[in-house]
Amino acid sequence: MALIDLSHSSPGDEGATASAVAPSLRRKGQTLRDYAGLLPFLTFLLLFLLVPAYSVFDQALKNPDGSFGTDAFREAISGQNFQAFKFSITFSAGAAFVGVIAGTLLAHAASTVEKPRWIKNLVTSFSGVAANMGGLPLAFMFLSLLGRQGILTKILEYFGFDLYAGDFGLGEVSGLIIVYSYFNIPLMVLVTLPAIEGLRPAWREACVNLGGTGFTYWRRIGIPVLLPSLLGGFLLLFANSFSAYATAQQLTDNSKIVPLRIGFFLGGDVSIGEDAVGYGLAAWMIIVMAASMGAYWLLRRRSERWLG
Amino acid sequence: MTSMGGQRRLGRRLILLIGAIYFAFPFVAMARFAFQNVQVFDLGRSTLFENWSLTSVTSAFGEDYFWDALRLSIQLALGTALLTLFVLVPTAVWVHLRIPRARAVVEFLTVLPYVIPAIALVAGIVVIKPHARWFLNSDLSLIPFYAVLALPFTYRSIDAGLRAIDLRTLTEASRSLGAGWNVTLRRVLIPSLKSALISSTFLTVAVVLGEYTIADVLLKRTLPAFMAEYRQSDPRGGYALAVLSLLATTLLFAGIGVATRPRGGRNPRTDEPSPSTEETPS
């Protein structure tokens, strides 16, 4: 479709002829036509992303009789649903925190290791793959490692440590943090590596010359410069963990995980008025995602100012 | 001083080692479970190398459903890749040539799928479904939604490709030699964007092969959906398929790495980070 748009524009549109006749008028028509070139893309986005997203809010803000009402929308963040949001936000924040710390340490170690040189390339390439590793394989890996019959569970048992004695579970906060770190840490490596590489050796030298120690350097220079990208990374990892469905669904049927809860409502085994609560949950999820991604966007712009 | 430097080096090594263990062990555990038919509590020095086989995979291949699912996933991958190229390449070229001012806005639009994750998107699809059954009843109706999910990665890789070439000069040269837009696109732009187009296609395929959320809720029998279902009856077979799918994904990413590797420093601008090393939601 867009190909046709391209071929319609006649040669010589730019420059020369424009200045001759009524430039402003000419430019206005041209700008309009330029923006019309985006129509196929905008239509695609509208039909397959924005209309579905709008429908979620539309359904969430509806009474059973079809009139406007906020009952389902409020129901989606009270009682059990509130507990679900609390649980999801807790483990997502925990997973993001672990990911930020471990990812930054790993990125720093990889960027400063002198030899062998291939280590850094290996870490970046691997991170590119592992950061995209959600879904079923990830769940299967940890089920075979730390599930009730998992190999590490059994090894620990052999040494007299019962992993499942307490409230550990792959679907509980601790388990989800361990599993989600598998894609969060590499994602953090990718986010933070450019910032770490942007730390100039001269800053460190200046700090040492002025009598600062390694600790002073990190306390006064390193961490403050990295802070926007650390916070940004936290938000990105949080959003990433908060919205993951596939892995969690295979690990557990814990209905306190918001995406699983939405899936349950969408499954259709609920009475008529109740399905609106599912859409309410989805609407709130979009709100949470929009807030964290928006803040991430702002922080990234800030960190680019320092480390352009 | 030396001892402190040594300590620091040791610390780094330790971090890398712990990282290696954390990332390798789960995979090894899954592969062992998939390909070795020995119960965990029987594992010991004597049984460590016993009963390794590929029977779990071959028995999964024996299922008719597997081939149906594979065919559907391949169709979806190809369809999504083609749709992505047809919508995004002209759009990205157009934005770069005609409305560079709109670049930030378009970029913002392409990352919207981060804000509306798959589980929320599929909730919207469920709402629309009664009004568009003629479309959504078809398994191939997943194609445009998968194209949306892949959008943040695919657009970025095409955009990076366009930044790396001198688009304006190339098109002007081509046009002044008498080529129309069609010829310019086919004989000038596509060849010079080859690596970006390849990596965008591979990224799309990786996204489609890994997508489970939408397929699960809409009860479409794609490869990941089959994997989840098959695991219920034959866990080892399901895990074996997961190992294969991970290997396939890794190969795709390796392919992207090769395709986008800067060639001999000819053009310094291609040194931008390759799109494969960018973040994605899961």
Side-chain angles (χ1 to χ4, degrees), chain B residues 63-280:
Chain B
E63 298 281 329
D64 285 345
Y65 275 150
F66 169 77
W67 297 103
D68 292 342
L70 182 67
R71 185 164 346 111
L72 175 59
S73 277
I74 289 175
Q75 284 172 342
L76 290 173
L78 290 178
T80 309
L82 281 177
L83 179 68
T84 301
L85 292 182
F86 270 105
V87 174
L88 289 194
V89 174
T91 303
V93 170
W94 188 259
V95 169
H96 273 257
L97 273 183
R98 289 307 190 79
I99 30 176
R101 262 179 311 159
R103 218 152 70 178
V105 180
V106 173
E107 216 177 288
F108 169 76
L109 290 175
T110 60
V111 296
L112 274 184
Y114 283 148
V115 176
I116 302 154
I119 185 68
L121 179 62
V122 76
I125 300 175
V126 170
V127 178
I128 297 168
K129 201 171 176 190
H131 311 290
R133 280 198 193 283
W134 56 273
F135 176 65
L136 288 168
N137 274 347
S138 157
D139 286 342
L140 296 180
S141 64
L142 291 178
I143 288 174
F145 299 108
Y146 283 7
V148 164
L149 290 185
L151 190 60
F153 325 118
T154 49
Y155 186 81
R156 200 175 317 176
S157 87
I158 293 171
D159 190 56
L162 284 171
R163 274 167 209 251
I165 61 173
D166 197 342
L167 185 62
R168 193 167 291 277
T169 312
L170 279 178
T171 46
E172 274 168 13
S174 158
R175 301 292 305 274
S176 66
L177 288 169
W181 273 111
N182 255 323
V183 177
T184 306
L185 194 69
R186 267 190 300 123
R187 308 227 353 224
V188 179
L189 292 183
I190 290 180
S192 47
L193 289 174
K194 205 170 74 191
S195 65
L197 300 185
I198 290 174
S199 60
S200 138
T201 301
F202 282 10
L203 282 166
T204 316
V205 175
V207 166
V208 173
L209 289 185
E211 205 292 322
Y212 174 71
T213 310
I214 295 182
D216 179 53
V217 173
L218 296 181
L219 305 175
K220 306 284 189 197
R221 308 194 65 150
T222 60
L223 208 52
F226 170 81
M227 215 191 280
E229 194 189 304
Y230 191 65
R231 181 173 80 97
Q232 306 293 329
S233 59
D234 177 8
R236 296 184 52 234
Y239 285 33
L241 290 176
V243 172
L244 291 187
S245 112
L246 272 190
L247 291 181
T249 317
T250 310
L251 279 181
L252 285 169
F253 276 93
I256 295 169
V258 172
T260 55
R261 190 168 33 203
R263 263 159 290 169
R266 249 189 332 170
N267 185 344
R269 272 191 283 176
T270 48
D271 281 344
E272 280 186 37
S274 77
S276 64
T277 56
E278 291 288 326
E279 68 267 17
T280 79

Side-chain angles (χ1 to χ4, degrees), chain A residues 2-3 5-7 9-11 13-14 30-31 33-35 37-38 40-42 44-45 48-53 55-56 59 105-106 109-110 112-115 119 123-124 126 128-137 140-145 149-151 154 178-179 181-183 185-187 190-191 204 236 240 243-246 249-250 259 262-263 266 279 282 285-286 289-290 293 296-297 300, chain B residues 8-9 12-13 15-16 19 22-27 29-30 32-33 40-41 43 83 86-88 90-91 93-95 97-99 101-102 106-117 119-128 135 144-145 147-148 151 153 156 168 172 175 181-182 185 210 212-213 216-217 224-225 227-228 231-232 238-239 242 245-246 249-250 253 276-282:
Chain A
L3 287 171
D5 282 340
L6 268 175
S7 57
S9 65
S10 53
D13 266 355
E14 289 144 19
Q30 187 172 342
T31 317
R33 234 173 48 185
D34 283 346
Y35 278 92
L38 290 179
F41 172 68
L42 294 178
F44 163 75
L45 214 58
F48 301 109
L49 183 68
L50 300 178
V51 168
S55 320
V56 166
Q59 290 294 310
L105 286 175
L106 193 59
T112 50
V113 80
E114 293 101 5
K115 57 181 183 183
I119 291 260
V123 170
T124 8
F126 176 80
V129 179
N132 295 290
M133 183 122 63
L136 309 185
F140 293 178
M141 284 198 291
F142 278 93
L143 282 169
S144 44
L145 188 74
Q149 302 300 321
I151 189 162
K154 293 295 173 188
I178 293 177
V179 178
S181 291
Y182 204 89
F183 54 73
I185 294 174
L187 183 53
L190 296 180
V191 170
R204 181 170 216 129
L236 188 68
N240 208 21
S243 64
Y245 171 84
Q249 196 246 23
Q250 291 294 308
I262 297 174
L266 294 179
Y279 300 120
M285 161 161 272
I286 295 176
M289 295 298 283
M293 294 307 293
Y296 166 69
W297 187 275
R300 219 181 72 169
Chain B
R8 213 181 286 149
R9 204 168 307 139
R12 265 178 236 146
R13 294 253 160 95
I15 289 170
L16 290 169
Y22 171 74
F23 286 104
F25 261 43
F27 181 77
M30 172 167 73
R32 189 211 74 84
F33 182 79
V40 172
F41 53 78
L43 267 183
L83 179 68
F86 270 105
V87 174
L88 289 194
T91 303
V93 170
W94 188 259
V95 169
L97 273 183
R98 289 307 190 79
I99 30 176
R101 262 179 311 159
V106 173
E107 216 177 288
F108 169 76
L109 290 175
T110 60
V111 296
L112 274 184
Y114 283 148
V115 176
I116 302 154
I119 185 68
L121 179 62
V122 76
I125 300 175
V126 170
V127 178
I128 297 168
F135 176 65
F145 299 108
V148 164
L151 190 60
F153 325 118
R156 200 175 317 176
R168 193 167 291 277
E172 274 168 13
R175 301 292 305 274
W181 273 111
N182 255 323
L185 194 69
Y212 174 71
T213 310
D216 179 53
V217 173
M227 215 191 280
R231 181 173 80 97
Q232 306 293 329
Y239 285 33
S245 112
L246 272 190
T249 317
T250 310
F253 276 93
S276 64
T277 56
E278 291 288 326
E279 68 267 17
T280 79
S282 58

Side-chain angles (χ1 to χ4, degrees), chain A residues 157-172:
Chain A
E157 205 175 277
Y158 178 81
F159 287 106
F161 179 77
D162 185 3
L163 189 61
Y164 281 87
D167 52 5
F168 178 83
L170 285 175
E172 299 303 323

Side-chain angles (χ1 to χ4, degrees), chain A residues 62-137:
Chain A
K62 221 176 225 177
N63 289 326
D65 61 3
S67 61
F68 176 85
T70 54
D71 284 358
F73 199 60
R74 268 181 293 152
E75 170 79 24
I77 46 162
S78 49
Q80 283 199 330
N81 297 319
F82 175 75
Q83 294 304 320
F85 270 102
K86 209 169 105 182
F87 182 83
S88 270
I89 288 174
T90 308
F91 83 73
S92 301
F97 184 73
V98 171
V100 166
I101 303 290
T104 308
L105 286 175
L106 193 59
H108 183 255
S111 80
T112 50
V113 80
E114 293 101 5
K115 57 181 183 183
R117 278 181 170 272
W118 50 262
I119 291 260
K120 197 181 126 192
N121 288 332
L122 180 75
V123 170
T124 8
S125 316
F126 176 80
S127 297
V129 179
N132 295 290
M133 183 122 63
L136 309 185

